[in-house]
Amino acid sequence: MASESAPMLEGHVTVNDTAEFDAVLAAQTEAAAGKPVYAVFVGTPKPETGKSWCPDCVTAEPVIIATLADREGGARVMWCNVLRSEYKDHPEYPYRTHKLISLTSVPTVVKYVDGKVRAACVDDDCSKAARVRALLEA
């Protein structure tokens, strides 16, 4: 379920259900009024630790959060949690097959402008501040 409350990045929306992605993207695109919408795809946190099941995500999340905190005013962020049990070894996983995502790995950050993909930062590039910053400038 999408949520407006989020401790990590002011004003972001969390997407926990892949079926909600299109509706949330449409709503965020409308609210952004021509500004970018950033969709961050990361492994869902494990209940016992509060950290992602994905080690690369654990490394990249602080970099992504710090960099997106400096995003252009009005730009929106969607934090999209990816369940390991549904994603790992499942080529039919909705985020893998979705035409606006085509997820190949987590973490991934996709920049949308007016509902269209403008640029993406994938996998270990997400742990490099310069690469994430380049996405903001793309």
Side-chain angles (χ1 to χ4, degrees):
M1 171 154 194
S3 166
E4 289 294 336
S5 62
M8 62 189 96
L9 205 51
E10 185 177 334
H12 88 267
V13 175
T14 301
V15 180
N16 288 315
D17 184 344
T18 58
E20 295 182 329
F21 181 84
D22 288 331
V24 175
L25 178 60
Q28 294 302 301
T29 298
E30 184 176 335
K35 303 285 184 178
V37 175
Y38 298 94
V40 181
F41 298 90
V42 293
T44 303
K46 296 187 285 187
E48 61 273 12
T49 64
K51 295 190 182 283
S52 173
W53 58 262
C54 163
D56 290 341
C57 297
V58 172
T59 302
E61 284 179 17
V63 174
I64 294 168
I65 291 166
T67 306
L68 290 181
D70 292 336
R71 70 192 181 277
E72 177 182 2
R76 312 293 275 191
V77 176
M78 297 168 52
W79 199 264
C80 305
N81 287 313
V82 176
L83 286 169
R84 186 179 197 281
S85 61
E86 294 177 10
Y87 171 78
K88 194 76 171 160
D89 299 323
H90 291 97
E92 72 286 349
Y93 182 68
Y95 287 159
R96 290 184 190 270
T97 60
H98 194 291
K99 66 181 179 180
L100 291 176
I101 305 168
S102 300
L103 191 67
T104 58
S105 66
V106 288
T108 292
V109 183
V110 180
K111 179 179 183 177
Y112 298 95
V113 177
D114 295 324
K116 296 183 175 107
V117 175
R118 170 73 58 88
C121 186
V122 179
D123 204 16
D124 65 344
D125 279 350
C126 292
S127 63
K128 299 171 183 154
R131 298 286 187 156
V132 181
R133 175 131 337 266
L135 179 69
L136 269 63
E137 297 166 1

